Amino acid sequence: MESAGRAQAARDRVPRIDPYGFERPEDFDYAAYEEFFSTYLTILTRRAIKWSRLLKGGAGVQKSVTLKRYIRKGVPLEHRARVWMGVSGAQAQMDQNPGYYLHLLQGEKDDSLEEAIRTDMNRTFPDNVRFRKGSDPCLQRTLYNVLLAYGHHNRGVGYCQGMNFLAGYLILVTRSEEESFWLLDALVGRILPDYYSPSMLGLKTDQEVLGELVRTKLPAVAALMDSHGLLWTLVVSRWFICLFVDVLPVETVLRIWDCLFNEGSKIIFRVALTLIKEHQALILEATSVPDICEKFKDITRGSFVTECHTFMRVKTQPKCKEICAVCGGGAVAAGTRQRWLEKFRAGDFSLDEAPPSSGPVEVDSDQSETLIVNSQRYTTWKIADILKISKSNKIFSEPGSLSRASIARLRERCRARLLAQG
């Protein structure tokens, strides 16, 4: 009874419609979500302050190691459109082509394109109040315009099912038709080439690449798939086509897209491998094809994917005996030193906390970061040790090494195999 009372109290406090306009499902765990969000809200507030400091002055978003680290820890909603536009190259494209979007909307009529888009309008987010015909304003018209403009822009693709979900999310984030168009162009035209072309060769290739990665990193799961003759496209196609939209919770998808726009399609493999690795034991319980398919649906539900910050954030663990610092000619108090060390271990230390005259050199890679402070150069801030910080977050450590070069080689091999198969 007490548990039921807490659940009902949480249901009364948590809005039935989320901040993006989606209705929460009937089986939504309000109590678990409230517990998660009470902690996450504190993190969001802290990150928002740091992002506002980083982006102050209104200058363009420039890629950097610092920006990469910030993005992996999540972009606040109020800055998300600006950051996505900057890191994806969409802002540069829009600035270089003033008036182009409106020109596309006024282009030559294409009955088949328009009909294909209209057919999917009512199928796009029926659980989102902002896309319903009776809403004011109704985002269906905005969605239609973005997809129509893109169909005119990229006639080799036109319109493909799945693009409606991508464009819908972009509209919810940017609240701008033109920005959504240019971000869709970044996704479909550059980040995910050939995913939505008539042959879908890029999509099929990447599903094969995932299969090869699982074979290498999770051979027991690969063996299970092989033993039942099950193709990867049957269990993960929606992950790739919709980029986890309508697969994972909204905020988790947006955190994935933060990294996707900045780091490229490699993030899709990282998320997919993390989901499979985390739930490997559950998947291996399957005894039939329907059972395997159901397990792959199950692994996209629950607290593991709802708690997006735990899923996505970069945790850091310093491999050093102690942080020794000297600031302003005098030793930093032991309490301050201990606080910094604890923050490092909790993955919550920011270089923003260093004195303004500090200047650590940061070398970033997928697997580790090395922070070095040159004590001879920076007289007001010294750290005696070289800190080797290993990343123990989920999606950036669970899959192990995934270099761009290795992914490119796998894509070449899988693409050649698909072409040979006709």
Side-chain angles (χ1 to χ4, degrees):
M1 290 293 293
E2 184 179 345
S3 176
R6 284 200 303 270
Q8 185 58 50
R11 182 183 286 269
D12 293 340
R13 288 189 295 265
V14 176
R16 188 178 61 86
I17 297 173
D18 76 13
Y20 304 95
F22 290 96
E23 292 178 322
R24 304 193 193 277
E26 286 299 319
D27 61 350
F28 186 76
D29 191 336
Y30 285 86
Y33 178 79
E34 185 178 50
E35 183 179 355
F36 152 69
F37 196 75
S38 64
T39 301
Y40 190 45
L41 184 61
T42 303
I43 295 168
L44 288 175
T45 303
R46 185 172 65 244
R47 299 306 306 164
I49 293 170
K50 293 183 177 182
W51 271 100
S52 296
R53 191 183 302 135
L54 182 70
L55 298 175
K56 67 181 178 182
V61 177
Q62 300 294 326
K63 283 195 172 188
S64 67
V65 171
T66 298
L67 185 67
K68 180 180 179 181
R69 186 176 68 250
Y70 269 50
I71 288 173
R72 285 186 172 186
K73 292 183 178 181
V75 183
L77 180 58
E78 62 265 34
H79 299 303
R80 196 162 254 146
R82 178 181 171 190
V83 172
W84 286 4
M85 289 289 289
V87 298
S88 68
Q91 185 67 53
Q93 289 293 312
M94 188 170 77
D95 292 344
Q96 292 164 16
N97 296 278
Y100 181 63
Y101 175 72
L102 290 177
H103 171 73
L104 290 170
L105 289 178
Q106 298 162 2
E108 184 179 345
K109 189 174 177 64
D110 186 329
D111 291 336
S112 62
L113 173 64
E114 293 178 21
E115 180 59 28
I117 296 171
R118 282 199 194 97
T119 299
D120 275 354
M121 283 297 100
N122 289 329
R123 300 173 185 170
T124 307
F125 303 137
D127 58 339
N128 190 300
V129 297
R130 300 177 191 175
F131 284 91
R132 291 177 185 164
K133 286 183 178 178
S135 61
D136 183 25
C138 175
L139 293 181
Q140 280 197 9
R141 185 67 199 182
T142 303
L143 177 62
Y144 176 84
N145 286 346
V146 171
L147 294 172
L148 180 65
Y150 193 79
H152 287 311
H153 167 69
N154 187 344
R155 296 187 180 275
V157 169
Y159 171 72
C160 174
Q161 285 187 340
M163 289 169 56
N164 53 325
F165 293 105
L166 306 189
Y169 260 44
L170 295 173
I171 290 165
L172 289 172
V173 169
T174 66
R175 302 183 182 184
S176 163
E177 278 189 32
E178 188 171 10
E179 289 184 359
S180 297
F181 164 79
W182 286 111
L183 284 169
L184 185 64
D185 182 50
L187 283 173
V188 177
R190 296 192 297 280
I191 297 173
L192 305 168
D194 285 337
Y195 262 47
Y196 305 96
S197 63
S199 69
M200 290 186 159
L201 183 57
L203 176 70
K204 294 173 183 176
T205 297
D206 279 2
Q207 289 175 153
E208 290 291 310
V209 169
L210 177 61
E212 292 297 319
L213 290 169
V214 172
R215 192 174 304 281
T216 300
K217 297 174 180 294
L218 302 165
V221 176
L224 176 70
M225 298 286 286
D226 290 343
S227 69
H228 288 86
L230 186 56
L231 300 176
W232 280 100
T233 186
L234 293 177
V235 292
V236 301
S237 60
R238 193 165 182 81
W239 298 7
F240 286 83
I241 293 172
C242 298
L243 303 180
F244 299 102
V245 171
D246 266 6
V247 174
L248 297 177
V250 179
E251 191 61 37
T252 305
V253 174
L254 295 177
R255 290 287 299 268
I256 292 167
W257 283 25
D258 289 343
C259 299
L260 176 65
F261 279 115
N262 187 50
E263 300 182 47
S265 59
K266 184 171 66 172
I267 193 71
I268 302 172
F269 298 117
R270 288 199 169 282
V271 173
L273 287 170
T274 298
L275 286 170
I276 297 168
K277 182 175 181 180
E278 183 73 16
H279 299 93
Q280 181 175 201
L282 175 68
I283 294 168
L284 293 176
E285 292 174 1
T287 57
S288 66
V289 168
D291 198 11
I292 295 172
C293 292
E294 192 59 35
K295 298 294 187 191
F296 270 86
K297 290 180 183 177
D298 290 342
I299 70 176
T300 61
R301 306 173 184 137
S303 61
F304 179 70
V305 294
T306 299
E307 296 176 7
C308 57
H309 195 61
T310 303
F311 185 67
M312 294 293 298
R313 74 177 181 176
V314 176
K315 296 181 182 178
T316 55
Q317 294 289 344
K319 295 181 180 178
C320 63
K321 295 179 181 178
E322 184 183 13
I323 298 175
C324 300
V326 175
C327 180
V332 171
T336 301
R337 191 162 63 242
Q338 182 62 28
R339 178 172 58 84
W340 284 337
L341 184 57
E342 288 171 357
K343 282 199 165 192
F344 265 114
R345 287 175 175 159
D348 193 35
F349 183 84
S350 170
L351 295 179
D352 298 337
E353 297 188 38
S357 57
S358 68
V361 177
E362 194 169 356
V363 181
D364 183 74
S365 71
D366 272 349
Q367 295 305 302
S368 66
E369 281 182 291
T370 302
L371 305 182
I372 305 171
V373 173
N374 185 333
S375 60
Q376 294 181 349
R377 182 176 175 186
Y378 305 109
T379 57
T380 60
W381 169 261
K382 289 197 294 186
I383 296 179
D385 296 300
I386 294 176
L387 307 180
K388 288 278 189 180
I389 299 179
S390 64
K391 295 178 178 175
S392 59
N393 68 304
K394 293 298 182 185
I395 69 165
F396 297 106
S397 65
E398 289 282 0
S401 177
L402 284 181
S403 70
R404 290 181 187 274
S406 64
I407 294 295
R409 287 193 296 270
L410 277 174
R411 278 179 168 147
E412 277 185 34
R413 192 161 71 237
C414 291
R415 184 184 183 93
R417 187 167 65 227
L418 287 168
L419 290 172
Q421 293 170 355

